[in-house]
Every structure is written in structure tokens, then in C-alpha cells.
Amino acid sequence: MPSLLTAELVRLNARATSKHDAIVQAGELLAAAGYIEPAYVDSLHGREKVSNTYLGNGVAIPHGMQEDRHLIRRTGVAVLQLPEGVEWHDGERANLVVAIAAQSDEHIALLQRLTRLIGDSEKLRALVDARDPNALVAALNGAGADAATSVIESTPADFEQRVELVLDYPHGLHARPASTWVATAKRYQAALRVRNGKLAADPKNLVSLLQLGATANAHLVLSAQGVDAADALTALKRTIQALSAEEHERAAAARARRQKAQPVSWTPVDPATMFEGVSAGPGFSIGQARVMRTAQLDVQDRPGETVEATHRLEEALRKTADELDTLARDTTARLGAEEGAIFGAHRELLNDTELLAEAARLLLDGHGVAWSWHQAAERQAERLAALPDPLLASRATDLRDVARRVLKHLGENLAADTRLNTPAILIAEDLTPSDTAMLDPAVTLGFCTVSGGPTSHTAILARTLGVPAAVACGAALLDVADGSAAVLDGTSGRLYVGVSAQDLERARRTQLQLAEEAQRAAANRALPAATLDGHVLEIGANITRPDQVRDAIANGADGVGLMRTEFLFLERHDAPSEDEQYDCYRRMVEASGGRHLIIRTLDIGGDKQVPYLNLPHESNPFLGVRGLRLCLRRPDLFVPQLRALYRAAKDGPLWIMFPMVSTLDEARQALALAETVRAELDAPKVPLGIMVETPSAAAFADHFAALVDFFSIGTNDLTQYVLAVDREHPELARMAESLHPAVLRMIKQTVDGARRHRKWVGVCGGLAGDPLGASILAGLGVDELSMSSRDIPAVKSRLRASRLDALQALARRALDCEDVDAVRALETTEIKAAA
Ligand code: PEP
Ligand code: MG
């Protein structure tokens, strides 16, 4: 291929007053060197009117219109280096303007190089700072712009500074811890490498890390080079080690689950076909098998205009990222943090530079955008699937899951084929975490898959949803005839099909017995959380939607202690109207049926961001405009919510609670505004309270108690503010322990302040759902504990087995402890005494 760029076509250290000016200058370079007729410059401007030629990472590629090719004398490229940059499109600034005059497709190779460079910020920066035009010539013509380095090199060398460690994770390096490694690595400029024998990965890249195939006890070499290399290595090593305890806990929990799980005492007497899989969700179900044969994805190659295709891909990636953020938050609230983290890790897969570079390379080879993306993702997924460790290999499913989401946003029609309309046992090749999260437990009697593993994300979600499941049942599973009579023992991971009428009858009797046992447990759950000496605590549930109330009550909740309303605002593109909100709160009131219902006003900011509100970027969002602070500044959001709440209050009892309060004045303003809204609507007065989640609110609890009707202690935030530990911080989050005696003392102060004015105190942070935490809180004298529904039975049974005076003694001991470990140790010494 002829060289497209020569030194005379490079203008170093240029300045441009506008994008128009930059295009004129680049065009002049091309015209002066005889590559184009001067009129082609108009064509360059013309293109900008119909499409945006900003490629990414400070690079723009102005090029003329197709129909003006006759104005090109020969193919060439001019580069304007703009160290100060120039505004190109929508706030994006270009530092390298690469003007292309191409008669046919000779420039494709150059575009490929550019896209590779875009994935390599360091090289790109060097080009923006270069003082020798030949540096740009070499990079864009090919010399030095070597083929993209493969994620896995055959004999990789370590960087200068290095440390070694043994990977102490029982399940090896899988997606959740790996995404924390990525978060740490990305905070440093240094080039980093993790080597596992002959394989090396870039720890800023999740897929690359997963492809390392690092299993338990793998010997890893971390190495770094660059300005902050030493700090980066220390931080990465610390992150790796800090996660070890959590990984062990998870493995122990999985072991305990397996040990606890008693296979059901039913096996068929008559001949039946058995599929022996691996348990992925306990439970016993009987029903018709419904076989879902996953249609092969048929993504057509429809070549299009490259720049436009790049933008479409970017847009699809952005939409997928937003969708996954929302899903992660929603799943955390609905099912729990571990489940939410699955989609957080999926989100990280989207940032994978190798995946993006591969897609861009295919795109620039002239392929269609959807095809290029699909191929790139498939190639990466196949590499993951080929890893010898089954757990790591199963991550290919996660990558394919994410890739499908992107394809959907690229306009590919991927009809979801795993939804059941009538109750059945679902049989499929595999289910992605997204499919599983969408399963309706009301009609999904269970599921069995050909592939998958017990620790896969799909299995985690199945267990949380309470759906019996068996995975890794083998390829023959797909030969099961649709509609066959089937019995699934999810606990032992066995599926029986072609079961005789007599065996089905026996299975039904077994199922009845199991249901009776479950009913007994439910009946216990429904008993009040009364201590042995008759002290009753209220138990609330933390929920986000009206349809969760039923499940909360079934799990033993006396009411709703926290409805997080921000979730109403999250899964959408604009704020819900007053009427929409009213409809939701009214349904909450109805579903609660007169039970206690505390609805918290919008708690946006901090870790919960809403893209369409366009809130300014804050360097310390947890200390910034969040919760009530935001609402008081945004009456356009706050007033409709208060109006909707008071309208719902006409339909039944509810309490209104304000989050993230730090001063008395904020509380006064909120109370005054609420009263104005109430009076306008002629609505009933309702109890108005605050969350106590800042140290100032706890320290001033007696003052606040004089103002408001009730408190609910948000121990999640209170902990992060008392201990000065960001609850989202990848390395420090584990220090954010609500059992820390310093936090417990703040809680005591809050209860004392409330008591002085005879006010009601609840706790709705995570501490309430931990049996030891709940015991201490009860001993500290709180009135209510509100938690996620599935935590209720364990907390209730702990309280029902304790005496109040012993819990009070436990709380006193805890307040005197020096650290969290000492508090935890009370579990063994004191809890027995409490019973
Ligand atoms: C808390 O901070 O404890 C709390 C319940 O609120 P959130 O977790 O929604 O911030
Ligand atoms: Mg909070």
C-alpha cells in the first residue's frame, strides 16, 4: 500500500479557533501538496453537516462527500496536531485532525491503525505531544503501528517493577473479583501486567483477566511500568488480597448450601429417563417439560458507512451501559448485592478494549456494524469457553449475554425465547443471567440446562429467585419431547422425564408433604418477633415496588419499613409524572392493606445517578448534593412527589421519610414544604420523619426528635460517614462495617435522642437484616427493624429465641468493644446467654 501521509502533510503544534478553521487548515495542506482541488474543502465541510466525523479519544477524521470524489487528484491524508484541541462535536475536543481525501478504499488500513490507536491512550498522547512529524507519519503509515497486541501473548515479559503472589481464591479469578481488580488498575496511569505462567493480561481489561485462566493457588506475577508504577502495584496487590476473605466466605456459603441441601426422598419406581445434572437451585417441582431450542443468532453482514457505524456502535454501547447500571441497581435492591454485582461485572465487559478494538477492526475492514460486534464478541467468548477451568469457561455465557444486549440496541431482532406463558419446567441449552433475572417464578416451575455450572451467575440468580434448577445435564437433554411429564429435584440436580402416572402421584404426595413443611416454616415466620420475655419488635421490609409487598408479607414482614422511591426514577428516560407516582404510591397503600408503610422521598445523588437529570459532576458525590439536599434545590422533582404522596395518603395510611438530612434547617424546610403541599390538597396529616444516616443527625438526634415524628436509621450511609469509608470503594468497602462500635455508639445516641421526645425509631440499613446486628439493635432499644424480605425469617427466629434483658446486656458489651472482631466474637459468648 502506498504511504498516505508524508511529513509535509503534517502540521505540528497548530491552533484552530473552531472546527471550521481546523478543516480549512487541513484542507489547505492537502490542496497545497496537490492532492485535492481547493473546492474539496467545501466538501469536507459538507460532510460535517450530515454526519459527525469525531472518531473518539481526541481524533477526528474529516472526509469529503462521496459525490465530490472527482475533486481528489490522488489519495492522501493531512494531519493537524492541535495540542490545545478544538471543540468538535457535542463537547468532544479533537487534538488530532486527520483529513482524508480517498479515491477508493486505500485509507481503510489507516483507519484501522487509528482505531487501534484510539484504544491506546498512551500512544495517542505521545502523538499529540510529538515534536517530530515523522512520529505521526510512522504511526499512521504503519511503521511502529504494529498489529494490536494479543491479550494473551505467548512468552510475555514482565515490566520492570514486579511482585509475586499466590491467588488465594477458592473459585479462582472470576468476573466479580476481576471487575474490582479492573477498577483498581484503572486508577493508575502505569502500564500493568498480570502474568500466570505463559499467559499475561492487562488488569485494566476484564476479558483479558478472565482469559488468564487463573485458578485457585495460581502463581501470579504483577508487574508495572510508568510514573505511578510502584503505587499501582501496591494497590493492586492489596485489592487482590483484600478480596480473599470475601471469596472464601462465598465458597464456604456455597459449601454449606450443598451440605444443608437434603435430596428429596422421592425416586421413580417405574422406568423413567433420568438426567443427572448439578444442583443450581434447590426445590422440588412437577410439571410439563417445555423445551426452548435457542435459535442460532443469525446476524447479517450489512456494510455501511464506517464513521456512522462507529457512532451507532458507540451509542449502542452507551445505551447498554445505562441499561446494565440500572439493572445492577435494580437487582441489588430486588435480590441483593451479590446478584446486583453480576450486572456490574457485565457492565465492565463493555469497556473491554480488546473487544472494542476487534469490533472496530472488523468494521473498518468494511463489515457491517452488528456483524462486526457479534463476530468480535463471539471470538472473545470462544477464547473464554476454551479455558480448561469450567468456572472460568462459563464466563463466555456472560460475555454472550452482554453482546446480545448491544446487538439489540444495534437494531437486531432478538426475540426473547425463554418466557413461559403457562407453568412448566423450562429446558434450554443455557440461560444467560439476563434471561434468568427475567424469569417469572409464578410460571417457571424450574429449569434445566445442557451446560452451565453451579456457581455461575445464572445459578446465583436462580437460587435467589427460589426457582429449582439443575445445570450441566448434558446435550441429550434437548432431545426431551416438549410436553413430557417431568419431575425436577433441584436439590440433587436430577430431572426425570417420562414419569409413569403412579410415580407422578407419589411425587405429588411428596410435594404436598414438602409444602406442609414449608407452611409450618411460613407460619413461624408469620409469628411476631417477640422475645422469650414478650418484648415485641416490629419487622419491616425494604422494597422498591408495590408487587414486592406480597412477598415481603409472606416472608413475615409486619409492614414496609423502607420504600426506596428513586427506583421509580431510574429505569427510564425522564422523571415520572405526579400522576404516575400517585398511581404507584396508591398501589403501595393498597398492597400494604393498612400495615405500616414508610415511603422515602427521592434519594438521588451519591451512588444513585439518574442520567436524564443532568446533574453536575461532583468530585465527592457522597458529600455532595444528594437526598434531601437535592430535593430542596429541585422543587420541580420534590413537589410532584410530595403531591403524589399526599394524594395517596387519602387512600390509606403512609408515613413520609426524608433521606440524607444533616441540618435542622433542612428538616424544617422539608416539613414546611410538605405541610404546604398537604394543605393545598386538603390531605390528611401523616407522620413525617427523617433517616438518620449522617453523624450530625445522630449527634443532634435530640434536636431532630423535637421536630419530626420518627427516625429510621440508615446504617449503610451512617457507617460510611462515621468511619469515613466510601461504601462503594473497591478496596475499602470491606472496612465499612456497621457492627463497628463507633457506629453502634451513634445508634445509641440516636435512640436516646428519640426517647427524650418519645419518638419512634426504626433501622432500615443492612445491619437490621443481620441476626447479630438485629440482636444488638433490639438491645439498644429500637422499635423496628426493616430489611430485605429474605432476611426476615432468620432475624425473627433469632429474636424469638432471645430474652430482652440478655439482648440489652449484649448491646452494652458491644458498645464497649474495641473493634468489629470483638463485637463479632460476642456472637458465640453472649448469644447463647441471651437465649
Ligand atoms: C442506608 O443508608 O442505610 C439506607 C437504608 O439507605 P440507602 O442504602 O438506600 O442509601
Ligand atoms: Mg442511605
Side-chain angles (χ1 to χ4, degrees), residues 97-120:
V97 174
V98 183
I100 301 173
Q103 277 173 324
S104 61
D105 61 358
E106 308 93 314
H107 64 300
I108 293 288
L110 170 120
L111 278 176
Q112 286 181 1
R113 281 184 208 112
L114 273 172
T115 353
R116 274 176 222 162
L117 280 170
I118 282 172
D120 187 340

Side-chain angles (χ1 to χ4, degrees), residues 532 801-803 806 830-835:
L532 292 170
S802 312
R803 286 190 329 257
E830 293 291 307
I831 289 286
K832 283 198 200 96

Side-chain angles (χ1 to χ4, degrees), residues 600 603 608 626 659 691 693 714 716-717 727:
R600 176 173 83 180
D603 186 17
K608 303 172 193 115
R626 64 169 296 206
M691 290 198 67
E693 46 187 353
N716 308 338
D717 275 313
R727 68 196 243 190

Side-chain angles (χ1 to χ4, degrees), residues 697-709:
F700 257 35
D702 50 347
H703 290 294
F704 279 105
L707 269 186
V708 301
D709 300 315

Side-chain angles (χ1 to χ4, degrees), residues 21 61 79 222-223 229 235 305 382 492 500 521 525 570 601 645 667:
D21 181 22
I61 49 163
V79 177
L222 317 180
S223 60
E305 217 257 319
E382 275 164 23
S492 63
S500 71
R525 282 205 291 260
L570 289 176
T601 57
L645 285 168

Side-chain angles (χ1 to χ4, degrees), residues 542 562 564 566-567 600 603 607-608 626 659 691-693 713-718 727 764-766:
N542 294 353
L562 170 66
R564 291 179 163 101
E566 51 280 4
F567 287 89
R600 176 173 83 180
D603 186 17
D607 58 327
K608 303 172 193 115
R626 64 169 296 206
M691 290 198 67
V692 175
E693 46 187 353
I713 305 173
T715 51
N716 308 338
D717 275 313
L718 185 61
R727 68 196 243 190
C764 60

Side-chain angles (χ1 to χ4, degrees), residues 659-830:
M660 183 63 197
V661 179
S662 53
T663 68
L664 290 167
D665 193 47
E666 285 166 347
R668 283 193 198 103
Q669 285 184 52
L671 295 177
L673 189 61
E675 177 52 23
T676 307
V677 169
R678 187 202 66 77
E680 269 168 23
L681 291 167
D682 195 20
K685 287 204 170 185
V686 303
L688 297 174
I690 59 162
M691 290 198 67
V692 175
E693 46 187 353
T694 60
S696 59
F700 257 35
D702 50 347
H703 290 294
F704 279 105
L707 269 186
V708 301
D709 300 315
F710 69 95
F711 291 159
S712 182
I713 305 173
T715 51
N716 308 338
D717 275 313
L718 185 61
T719 304
Q720 77 163 340
Y721 294 127
V722 168
L723 299 179
V725 172
D726 178 347
R727 68 196 243 190
E728 302 284 305
H729 194 291
E731 267 178 68
L732 302 178
R734 295 178 52 77
M735 275 173 65
E737 285 266 18
S738 300
L739 278 176
H740 195 291
V743 180
L744 300 178
R745 288 179 182 203
M746 290 305 235
I747 295 172
K748 176 170 184 341
Q749 204 167 350
T750 307
V751 176
D752 290 347
R755 288 290 163 260
R756 218 180 283 173
H757 297 273
R758 296 171 182 270
K759 295 288 162 68
W760 185 97
V761 194
V763 180
C764 60
L767 189 63
D770 167 46
L772 175 60
S775 308
I776 295 173
L777 290 167
L780 286 173
V782 306
D783 297 291
E784 180 236 35
L785 298 166
S786 189
M787 63 204 79
S788 76
S789 301
R790 63 186 172 148
D791 290 337
I792 294 174
V795 165
K796 269 196 170 176
S797 64
R798 174 69 70 89
L799 295 173
R800 288 179 60 78
S802 312
R803 286 190 329 257
L804 180 63
D805 54 357
L807 294 177
Q808 286 164 340
L810 168 73
R812 279 194 298 275
R813 293 281 304 273
L815 290 170
D816 281 341
C817 284
E818 280 189 358
D819 56 25
V820 178
D821 288 343
V823 177
R824 282 202 196 291
L826 297 175
E827 176 123 49
T828 33
T829 55
E830 293 291 307

